[in-house]
Amino acid sequence: MKHLYLNLKRFDVPRQYGGVNSLAPIERWADYIVTGTQGELKKFDPTQVEFVQFYPEAHILNALKAREAQSPVKIGCQGVYRMNTAAGGNFGAFTTSRPASSMKAMGCTHAIIGHCEERKDKAGILWEAGVEDARAVNRLLNEENRRAAEAGMKVLYCVGEKEEELSRWKEVLTDQLEIGLEGVDKSQVVIGYEPIWSIGPGKTPADGPYIAKVARLIKEVTGGMDVVYGGGLKKDNALMLAGIPEIDGGLIALTRFEGEIGFYPEEYLEIIHTYLGD
């Protein structure tokens, strides 16, 4: 099974507010993306590939409403809280947070957890609190993984090493995997590998042999779990990634990096076709 994920992050922000959205008015943004992609994605065998789109929370219901009958598009949320509601327990007073039960009730089937941006945020908060144990972030993410899986959601759990961690990448990734997945139903999880050191303007992207090497380690540590490339599946690297046997898909974000930078459904579909060779 191939897994092709789309992380729309904050791509809903209009350009006049510093964002990259020129697709549609904010109230129609999710509808525009789902309706602009689901028809073409029906051409692919659902037993061979899944398509998941992760939306900011405000757009989840509109995205779900836009799905046609038998739509191949699955809707996911951008993380869940480390605690959850419980019958006879906390009824859900988690201000600003996304309990897994809330996301499940909305209709989300997937959650992305541990993206490098989330890891950075958690590490920063812990640092302000005087906590310097790098494994603390993995323990918090483990709670999120557990809550999502317990709610019956599938998880894209992201791991990756920073530039200063390259010399001990095996140790870093092994910790992220072993701690983050402890007690989690692994059948509910796909691993997303993000080479954090190679992501961003002016940085040299990780090459095929390096990605394959890391994917082999991940499969070894996890007992053969599916691994997707989380460092940005795009037109320029789609064929290269498709040729790596250890990689089972990818995570797409921006589709255009020059000119009118942003996400465009037609370019997303072009990436999909290029990667899948159809």
Side-chain angles (χ1 to χ4, degrees):
M1 168 72 81
K2 293 292 185 182
H3 313 271
L4 290 169
Y5 300 100
L6 170 61
N7 187 11
L8 291 157
K9 298 197 255 186
R10 280 264 65 102
F11 298 165
D12 57 331
V13 180
R15 295 188 188 277
Q16 64 265 36
Y17 295 112
V20 298
N21 172 30
S22 56
L23 290 179
I26 199 76
E27 69 274 10
R28 291 205 54 238
W29 180 75
D31 174 285
Y32 186 93
I33 294 172
V34 174
T35 57
T37 58
Q38 62 186 345
E40 186 69 16
L41 296 179
K42 287 182 179 179
K43 296 179 180 179
F44 297 97
D45 185 347
T47 67
Q48 299 298 316
V49 59
E50 69 168 354
F51 302 101
V52 183
Q53 299 180 0
F54 297 108
Y55 283 86
E57 186 173 349
H59 300 285
I60 288 171
L61 292 178
N62 281 347
L64 287 162
K65 288 178 182 177
R67 294 179 72 249
E68 300 171 350
Q70 307 303 316
S71 174
V73 173
K74 299 174 183 178
I75 305 300
C77 59
Q78 297 178 329
V80 298
Y81 190 46
R82 65 182 180 276
M83 294 162 54
N84 200 8
T85 58
N90 194 314
F91 61 86
F94 302 124
T95 304
T96 80
S97 299
R98 292 183 298 263
S101 56
S102 173
M103 297 297 96
K104 182 71 172 180
M106 280 190 179
C108 290
T109 56
H110 291 68
I112 181 171
I113 293 174
H115 188 282
C116 64
E117 293 161 357
E118 182 187 8
R119 286 182 178 275
K120 182 179 180 181
D121 178 61
K122 282 182 165 53
I125 293 171
L126 289 168
W127 184 86
E128 288 289 343
V131 178
E132 298 183 6
D133 179 6
R135 295 184 175 185
V137 171
N138 297 324
R139 291 194 291 269
L140 291 175
L141 295 174
N142 172 256
E143 294 296 326
E144 295 178 4
N145 284 333
R146 290 187 187 216
R147 299 297 87 78
E150 288 166 0
M153 301 171 73
K154 294 186 177 180
V155 174
L156 175 61
Y157 176 50
C158 298
V159 301
E161 75 280 28
K162 295 179 287 188
E163 187 169 2
E164 62 269 28
E165 297 170 331
L166 277 171
S167 63
R168 53 189 185 91
W169 65 274
K170 288 185 179 181
E171 174 191 346
V172 169
L173 293 176
T174 298
D175 277 351
Q176 291 177 357
L177 292 164
E178 291 183 344
I179 297 172
L181 294 174
E182 183 179 0
V184 179
D185 180 358
K186 293 182 181 179
S187 69
Q188 293 287 94
V189 183
V190 171
I191 304 300
Y193 169 58
E194 298 179 281
I196 301 169
W197 55 271
S198 76
I199 301 172
K203 296 188 177 181
T204 302
D207 60 21
Y210 188 89
I211 295 169
K213 175 181 70 173
V214 173
R216 285 194 293 272
L217 173 76
I218 293 173
K219 288 181 180 291
E220 177 183 335
V221 172
T222 64
M225 291 175 65
D226 283 355
V227 182
V228 304
Y229 182 67
L233 171 59
K234 45 198 171 186
K235 185 177 179 181
D236 291 346
N237 64 13
L239 288 176
M240 179 270 286
L241 292 170
I244 302 176
E246 296 87 353
I247 290 294
D248 305 297
L251 177 61
I252 299 168
L254 290 175
T255 61
R256 190 180 303 176
F257 299 86
E258 296 179 348
E260 288 289 293
I261 295 170
F263 170 81
Y264 297 89
E266 66 276 11
E267 294 174 351
Y268 161 77
L269 293 171
E270 185 178 0
I271 294 169
I272 295 291
H273 279 285
T274 301
Y275 179 79
L276 294 176
D278 185 7

